[in-house]
Amino acid sequence: MTKDPMLPVDDEARLLAKRLMRTARSGALATYDGAAGLPFASLVQVGTDLDGSPLILTSELSAHTRLLAADPRCSVLLSAIGKGDPLAHPRLTLLAEAERLERDAPRTQHIRRRYLAQHPKAALYVDFPDFSFWRLNLTWGSLNGGFGRAYRLERTDLLADLSAFPDFYEGEAGAVEHMNTDHREAVGLYATKLLGAQEGAWRLVGIDPEGLQLALGDEILRLTFPKALENVGDLRRMLVDLAQQARGTSA
């Protein structure tokens, strides 16, 4: 009898998958070409919504846009990039249904802000009339964390629970601006002391109930909170505690 290659999902697998989702800047999007009866793969820039759902911004001129409009079923492959054998690095395939977002909807404006924080160069074309945001609503994912480390993850394994955070978009926007304007030193310490990153003008590009996204140039890092927030009021204390921890490591 063939052994099931999938391992039981544990917290380490969930953490790895979420880190890939929050730090990948691009991915291979697979759509279905009904006329040809064949799959169609293309490279897309990927951002994340508050809960971790992938976001893409596409033009009507792109083949994958037309294919998604005809059949929203899709998958996207995210991979860590590093030296050596590409297959030695973690990768995650996410199965989803794509949802085109209405340009003027309040949620889309929040998503636009988050996406541009993660991909500032997209500001050059984000408002062109033929461009639209799509949210990839996940069904499940396949994680390969390296040789012999394969997992099937359900939607609940991959996404942050936002049920206790109905107004987090507004709080996140203010907190990101405040930290980048008034506490740039702390943001830099999060990256260099807590994540071991290089020195530089690090900035916050996203906050969610489970952690932070920090960026320097084209690099995005994930700092997972020691404990997920239980309510919006926990955020300030978490940011202060992380700063104190980072300053303690620099002594």
Side-chain angles (χ1 to χ4, degrees):
M1 186 172 67
T2 303
K3 181 181 178 182
D4 186 352
M6 298 295 176
L7 297 174
V9 175
D10 55 19
D11 287 342
E12 183 179 355
R14 295 184 186 95
L15 188 65
L16 175 56
K18 290 180 177 183
R19 185 164 66 245
L20 282 170
M21 292 166 63
R22 298 283 188 176
T23 59
R25 300 183 66 251
S26 63
L29 177 72
T31 51
Y32 180 67
D33 186 336
L38 294 169
F40 181 89
S42 52
L43 183 67
V44 293
Q45 197 164 252
V46 181
T48 52
D49 202 354
L50 272 180
D51 64 355
S53 295
L55 304 169
I56 61 174
L57 175 65
T58 74
S59 167
E60 293 290 344
L61 301 177
S62 302
H64 52 253
T65 299
R66 297 192 296 272
L67 295 177
L68 286 177
D71 187 338
R73 295 174 298 172
C74 61
S75 66
V76 63
L77 170 63
L78 309 176
S79 177
I81 299 174
K83 296 180 180 179
D85 184 353
L87 298 182
H89 299 287
R91 58 268 192 196
L92 175 67
T93 298
L94 298 169
L95 289 297
E97 288 204 11
E99 173 193 2
R100 191 198 297 259
L101 303 179
E102 294 294 330
R103 178 181 292 270
D104 297 325
R107 182 177 67 155
T108 307
Q109 295 308 303
H110 291 306
I111 283 172
R112 180 186 185 279
R113 173 186 57 78
R114 297 193 93 249
Y115 188 91
L116 290 179
Q118 297 165 40
H119 299 287
K121 293 179 181 178
L124 295 172
Y125 49 82
V126 65
D127 292 324
F128 287 3
D130 63 306
F131 274 79
S132 299
F133 281 107
W134 297 76
R135 188 178 193 270
L136 305 188
N137 296 314
L138 303 184
T139 54
W140 61 278
S142 177
L143 172 68
N144 188 319
F147 182 75
R149 296 177 59 203
Y151 306 87
R152 176 182 169 124
L153 295 97
E154 300 303 325
R155 187 174 185 275
T156 52
D157 295 317
L158 296 164
L159 301 179
D161 182 3
L162 299 181
S163 59
F165 304 91
D167 301 317
F168 201 89
Y169 279 121
E170 288 81 2
E172 181 213 20
V176 167
E177 181 179 6
H178 174 65
M179 293 298 294
N180 285 332
T181 301
D182 298 329
H183 299 286
R184 285 175 289 181
E185 180 209 11
V187 173
L189 290 174
Y190 294 158
T192 58
K193 300 303 179 181
L194 299 183
L195 294 173
Q198 64 177 309
E199 297 281 346
W202 288 93
R203 69 187 194 282
L204 272 182
V205 295
I207 304 175
D208 59 84
E210 295 183 344
L212 311 174
Q213 287 162 284
L214 303 106
L216 176 64
D218 292 333
E219 183 178 12
I220 297 179
L221 298 180
R222 175 67 170 173
L223 177 58
T224 303
F225 294 148
K227 180 183 178 183
L229 305 181
E230 294 182 359
N231 55 68
V232 175
D234 291 340
L235 177 57
R236 183 180 183 279
R237 171 48 55 190
M238 179 63 73
L239 294 174
V240 170
D241 288 348
L242 289 174
Q244 291 176 343
Q245 180 185 343
R247 292 189 177 97
T249 64
S250 62

